[in-house]
Amino acid sequence: MSDHLSSLKLTFLPAGRSITISAGTTILEAAREAGIHINSSCGGSGLCGKCRVRIESGEFSEEGSPRLSQKERQEGIHLACRTRISSNAEVRIAAEAGIISGGLTTGIKERRKASLYTFDIASLQKAGVFRPPVEKLFIELPRPGAHDNMADAGRLLASLASQYDEHGLIISLAVLRKLRRVLREDDFRVTVTIARPVRIGGRSYILNIQPGNWTRRNYGMVFDIGTTTVYGQIIDLASGEVLAEEGEYNGQIAYGEDVISRMIQAEKPGGLQMMGEVVCETMNRAIAAMQKKSGISREEISSLTVAGNTTMSHLFLELETDNIRRSPYVPVSTFLPPMRAADLGLDLQPHTVALVFPAVSSYVGGDIVAGVMGSGMYRDPEITLFLDIGTNAEIVIGNEEWLACAACSAGPAFEGGGITCGMRAGNGAISDFTVNPADLEPMNTTIGNKPVAGICGSGLLMIVAALFRHRIIGPDGKFNRELESHRLRAGENGFEFVLAFAEETGVDHDVVINEVDIDNFLRAKAAIFAGVVTLLEQVGLAIKDLDRVILAGAFGSFIDIDAAMTVGLLPPLDAEKVMYVGNGPLMGGRMNELSNHIRMEVVEAVNRMTSFELSEVPNFKDNYLAALFLPHTDRSIFPPDP
Amino acid sequence: MSDHLSSLKLTFLPAGRSITISAGTTILEAAREAGIHINSSCGGSGLCGKCRVRIESGEFSEEGSPRLSQKERQEGIHLACRTRISSNAEVRIAAEAGIISGGLTTGIKERRKASLYTFDIASLQKAGVFRPPVEKLFIELPRPGAHDNMADAGRLLASLASQYDEHGLIISLAVLRKLRRVLREDDFRVTVTIARPVRIGGRSYILNIQPGNWTRRNYGMVFDIGTTTVYGQIIDLASGEVLAEEGEYNGQIAYGEDVISRMIQAEKPGGLQMMGEVVCETMNRAIAAMQKKSGISREEISSLTVAGNTTMSHLFLELETDNIRRSPYVPVSTFLPPMRAADLGLDLQPHTVALVFPAVSSYVGGDIVAGVMGSGMYRDPEITLFLDIGTNAEIVIGNEEWLACAACSAGPAFEGGGITCGMRAGNGAISDFTVNPADLEPMNTTIGNKPVAGICGSGLLMIVAALFRHRIIGPDGKFNRELESHRLRAGENGFEFVLAFAEETGVDHDVVINEVDIDNFLRAKAAIFAGVVTLLEQVGLAIKDLDRVILAGAFGSFIDIDAAMTVGLLPPLDAEKVMYVGNGPLMGGRMNELSNHIRMEVVEAVNRMTSFELSEVPNFKDNYLAALFLPHTDRSIFPPDP
């Protein structure tokens, strides 16, 4: 029955557009997905009472709608944000909720997000590269006797050579110390954990030895150390499955939200060690939680892959970051040797090896490399733009033959910073927006359907795109002062648009967007787009040569690609050419844990990745100025709508 | 003046034999060197008063000689053991001190010891292999700039590649952690400490980095971990010089004198760790003492080479020895990876690398390998017998093309064990001996010229050889019962010879050698000789094929080669074909510290060294029985004296 109900058809009238939704979806959510505008300035929290619809047919459930009169209720009027559909239904949007003559008002088609690039174990298997960098081999040794008293270590190595063609293995002191006992515990039947080299011709290491056959219990961990959050996974290295996941706020947040404040902290006496210890504590909490969830013991974790931006990787390893933040931005190291996880302060066994993703430069870090790896762009013939948007935007362009990368500072606008009513992507943040060009009434969607509290990065993008699309702002980002609306007014920072009046919000003031905010947004998107154009120019190409775009990072997964193209943040490509990798570092880390072949390829790819310092390229400033308009001054790149 | 006096000519009358001696030598010592017998049963301590000589010309000084009468003094009679010569002199041996008609009595020529094989730095230099496994290179890096912001680590590696042709270097986390600071401390001029691989095609490691040029201050340490004593040296890796030495008793002695008791101790709970800690404490005391002597700081010690027998190496590394002492005698490992000295419990810096000599088997250990290395026999065309005599005798035979080795248990006779009046080589131990065949009066020489206390290993050899040479004992080791002397009598354990009567000793009993003692000696020498013969047979050779003998160990450095050949302990070769390496482990260790080329050669040599288990060879017992006679039953090996 629930199966039957789980896929419902909801038709919006008068437009007649239908959408397939899951049972329990609110009408407002459904409208948003369908590209239907319904006025709702409070963010879908029931406060403003504007999203009135009449349910013409179908079943539904409703939370209290105090804003509706007795008469309205009798007429079948409901608030779209408080009403959940439980059968196929028809809904007519009330005039006051945004209907203008002819029907649809948003002017956009169905909402389009980049399609998710998914990681495919089957393809690894098919390509014959599903062979983890840390493997377990079961082996039965000949027993020693009067005519064969070779040493235990030599016996093991000789057997690995003859039975598995493994040569030149290095045994650690820790393994030697338990070798005698382990060999004899199950009559010379043992499981050997072997770590592969990342270089051709390198030597493999014996990390551990266990009595009996434990080849089916070989587990790895992956960590994405983000500036804000740390995500971990436990991976079954035999099947490739993710067995447990955990996310924690990076404990370093107590010392500042951005990488710069972390680096300043690290330069204080004892600060570097403290920053290292704090992030290890965060990781250790995640390790404990994942072990509890999965029932996998520390002894069974053979390897760990860590991906993070260059600053996060440095702080984790307690490498000095002083020159990462000072021109000419020199990190201590981009390549990092395999290490013992326990030496780094992690609650893991001495035999667990830690692999840290290589970086390209101070500002194109292991997180980006992991994403590039996860996306596979380094082995495709298509010319791909890989874009991770945050305070810094990291840009990688290339294909199987060449790779170029750069980073540019976009400023904090995409994280809600420097915006009058900006906020991080949390409850109450406007994350989606359309506007009714007839009366300038907004349809605000907030995270958690909570009363409006501010604007987050993806909301800012949607707002600017909608205002521009309906010519409420011009190409220069200034409001059309000829429009008349109680929502449009002169404020302290130029003209402003009231997204939600104080009484429609969860805060004690009007939530607005003003011309200074829009200007900040333009600077951010111009920096990114100029970065892309400049990097392309450095390799003799132009926007038109791009075959594909891959978005990474949290912002990339939320981004509306039509909006991004409308404002000129992304180049105008067919929507199906735009993809996103969800958590690039985790995906890349998982591939690293499962395929030593890919791990070797990535080192090779990083070696041939050319890093450009955009601030050193004279053209960058021109490209930046050209991109400070909506969508761009160069209409050959962004042709005007027909 | 002292130079003039330092080399004097002393002539013994009536024989007329002269010897060149140093000023201050006693007449008794000079006689011993010259092969002149003078009765002196108290060991040269002035107690017996038998060593009467008349000084016919020359200057001398004399300690009190209470045994001499007033009349004797007036006649120019002195005790040879109490009189030191200070000019050229002539000395007539009194009749009662041993003269028999015709003159010399010992029947031997001048005392002959094996010549010392010395370690030759010049030859390493000449061969172009004086290149330590741990080198320091000075390098000046290009400074980073706007157009060159390569990471510190990459910059260092690229410069090492371009300036020194060093490729594929591995940087440790510890080096990365200080890299940024060190590079900038002296404006990108740094000294890099590089550890070379022992395998061709292996990768070098960067162990340390220092600001400025420190290439002239690069030091290594060598340790010989013996069962009884631990010797250390500090080596200047630039010049090859030994800058300080130190010896300490191995602290493990508190847990038993031999390797077996140490192994038993190590099998108790916590025993292995304790044995490792105890020997590290001993080494740490030596390290502290050597650093004080040399003024070299811990930071400047780049590497450490350790040589010891297989048990000592295992206990030092805390590897289980349980199967070393149980058939089929399987050690944990013969090859040992490079380690961090600090990880092993040594008071050294984390950058100091510890190299442990490889072993061949449970009973042919790293000490033997180090000696073989030090002797260079593995690269000579001559077929060499390398022999280390102790409770166990280790035998290596071979040349540049092949090497075979074995160990056999000789029992403790050569260390004074199992001998009625046996003792370790300490003060008062008879270490040298001749006998006057006319009256059977002995000439005992003790260590320290102290009153006789017992017999040590080298003394036992000299006693048996002299008794046999003068037919006081027969080829079966039994006394000639037809001889009449107050020194020869029936005792509890068969016939015995009184070396010193109680009043001539520092102990409260007669010091004797009896037929059981001689039998024990025969068993020990037979085991060793049978080991040599059996090992030769295993490779299709015989005694006559030996070109050279190299003796190792303390016993080897004291041994009188004529005596050893007389009793059949050593095969009869020209004396100049017999050499000894003083402290083989220290010498080999020093070569290891100074030449990575030789280090690689040794690994290769150990790999081709065939180990034989003599107890498994049927012929061994026959060879042993044949060698139970003086010098041997096979007179084709030991032809009778002409």
Side-chain angles (χ1 to χ4, degrees), chain B residues 438-451:
Chain B
D439 58 5
L440 300 195
E441 276 306 305
M443 173 178 175
N444 292 317
T445 301
T446 59
I447 295 176
N449 288 337
K450 293 285 183 295

Side-chain angles (χ1 to χ4, degrees), chain A residues 324-358:
Chain A
I324 290 182
R325 71 180 185 96
R326 291 180 174 89
S327 173
Y329 315 113
V330 176
V332 169
S333 192
T334 48
F335 282 92
L336 297 158
M339 286 160 279
R340 284 191 289 195
D343 282 354
L344 304 175
L346 296 177
D347 283 345
L348 291 168
Q349 295 290 305
H351 65 252
T352 307
V353 70
L355 308 170
V356 181
F357 259 95

Side-chain angles (χ1 to χ4, degrees), chain A residues 105-349:
Chain A
T105 63
T106 61
I108 58 168
K109 301 164 286 286
E110 285 191 28
R111 285 292 315 280
R112 294 193 310 181
K113 293 203 177 176
S115 57
L116 179 64
Y117 179 94
T118 51
F119 166 48
D120 183 5
I121 294 170
S123 72
L124 285 185
Q125 277 164 328
K126 199 172 165 192
V129 295
F130 186 175
R131 197 175 171 195
V134 179
E135 270 189 293
K136 282 190 175 181
L137 303 179
F138 172 71
I139 191 161
E140 188 165 355
L141 311 184
R143 283 71 177 162
H147 294 279
D148 170 16
N149 63 357
M150 191 188 279
D152 290 342
R155 180 174 306 277
L156 177 64
L157 294 179
S159 297
L160 284 165
S162 65
Q163 294 182 41
Y164 284 101
D165 206 23
E166 295 280 353
H167 300 274
L169 295 162
I170 299 171
I171 309 189
S172 71
L173 183 61
V175 170
L176 288 177
R177 281 181 172 165
K178 63 181 177 179
L179 185 58
R180 189 199 69 86
R181 192 172 32 77
V182 170
L183 282 186
R184 287 158 181 84
E185 203 168 310
D186 192 16
D187 193 24
F188 290 85
R189 284 185 289 259
V190 291
T191 301
V192 184
T193 309
I194 293 181
R196 306 273 168 221
V198 76
R199 288 165 57 119
I200 290 164
R203 296 172 73 182
S204 296
Y205 280 77
I206 296 183
L207 291 181
N208 198 19
I209 181 164
Q210 297 165 279
N213 189 343
W214 292 91
T215 48
R216 282 170 179 274
R217 294 193 70 82
N218 190 26
Y219 303 100
M221 275 191 180
V222 178
F223 267 99
D224 159 30
I225 306 182
T227 311
T228 307
T229 41
V230 172
Y231 291 101
Q233 290 181 334
I234 289 188
I235 314 287
D236 184 336
L237 299 181
S239 71
E241 260 183 285
V242 176
L243 302 180
E245 287 189 306
E246 184 72 13
E248 297 264 348
Y249 278 102
N250 185 335
Q252 293 174 341
I253 283 181
Y255 304 95
E257 294 211 345
D258 54 38
V259 290
I260 300 294
S261 24
R262 310 281 172 86
M263 291 195 261
I264 291 171
Q265 189 68 34
E267 288 179 33
K268 295 180 183 171
L272 181 59
Q273 288 67 35
M274 192 186 62
M275 296 305 272
E277 284 162 16
V278 163
V279 74
C280 279
E281 280 167 25
T282 300
M283 293 168 78
N284 284 335
R285 276 200 306 277
I287 289 171
M290 288 191 288
Q291 289 185 318
K292 202 169 169 185
K293 284 180 190 173
S294 63
I296 289 161
S297 73
R298 286 174 211 282
E299 285 70 22
E300 295 175 311
I301 305 292
S302 298
S303 61
L304 171 85
T305 293
V306 175
N309 63 47
T310 308
T311 302
M312 287 301 115
S313 296
H314 272 54
L315 294 180
F316 167 56
L317 299 175
E318 298 176 18
L319 302 180
E320 292 175 304
T321 52
D322 307 43
N323 293 78
I324 290 182
R325 71 180 185 96
R326 291 180 174 89
S327 173
Y329 315 113
V330 176
V332 169
S333 192
T334 48
F335 282 92
L336 297 158
M339 286 160 279
R340 284 191 289 195
D343 282 354
L344 304 175
L346 296 177
D347 283 345
L348 291 168
Q349 295 290 305

Side-chain angles (χ1 to χ4, degrees), chain B residues 309-478:
Chain B
N309 64 47
T310 308
T311 303
M312 286 300 116
S313 297
H314 271 53
L315 295 179
F316 167 55
L317 299 175
E318 296 174 20
L319 302 179
E320 291 175 305
T321 52
D322 307 42
N323 293 78
I324 289 183
R325 71 181 186 97
R326 291 182 175 86
S327 172
Y329 315 111
V330 176
V332 169
S333 191
T334 48
F335 282 91
L336 297 157
M339 287 160 279
R340 284 191 289 194
D343 282 355
L344 304 174
L346 296 178
D347 284 345
L348 291 169
Q349 295 290 305
H351 65 253
T352 306
V353 69
L355 308 170
V356 181
F357 259 94
V360 180
S361 67
S362 278
Y363 291 103
V364 179
D367 52 345
I368 302 303
V369 171
V372 167
M373 176 181 202
S375 75
M377 67 178 276
Y378 68 96
R379 14 175 201 153
D380 282 343
E382 290 190 319
I383 295 176
T384 303
L385 163 64
F386 180 99
L387 192 57
D388 189 321
I389 299 172
T391 305
N392 282 294
E394 290 93 7
I395 306 164
V396 184
I397 299 174
N399 63 7
E400 61 191 356
E401 285 171 16
W402 57 273
L403 290 164
C405 66
C408 59
S409 176
F414 291 120
E415 290 170 354
I419 305 298
T420 310
C421 294
M423 66 180 284
R424 281 194 173 267
N427 277 338
I430 295 173
S431 59
D432 202 347
F433 174 87
T434 62
V435 64
N436 185 337
D439 58 5
L440 300 195
E441 276 306 305
M443 173 178 175
N444 292 317
T445 301
T446 59
I447 295 176
N449 288 337
K450 293 285 183 295
V452 170
I455 308 167
C456 69
S458 57
L460 182 65
L461 168 64
M462 297 307 289
I463 292 165
V464 174
L467 294 179
F468 177 59
R469 195 177 284 127
H470 297 296
R471 307 186 189 231
I472 300 166
I473 57 175
D476 58 355
K478 305 298 180 211

Side-chain angles (χ1 to χ4, degrees), chain B residues 26 28-29 32 38-51 80-82 427-433 442-454 487 499-501 503-506 511:
Chain B
T26 68
L28 192 68
E29 286 163 358
R32 199 156 57 229
I38 299 178
N39 291 345
S40 69
S41 48
C42 71
S45 61
L47 274 184
C48 71
K50 286 181 181 156
C51 55
C81 71
R82 313 301 281 175
N427 277 338
I430 295 173
S431 59
D432 202 347
F433 174 87
M443 173 178 175
N444 292 317
T445 301
T446 59
I447 295 176
N449 288 337
K450 293 285 183 295
V452 170
R487 292 198 173 262
L499 296 160
F501 291 100
E503 62 273 20
E504 299 167 339
T505 73
V511 171

Side-chain angles (χ1 to χ4, degrees), chain B residues 14 37 93-95 97-106 435-439 470:
Chain B
H37 176 90
I93 299 169
I99 293 303
I100 49 170
S101 59
L104 296 179
T105 62
T106 60
V435 64
N436 185 337
D439 58 5
H470 297 296

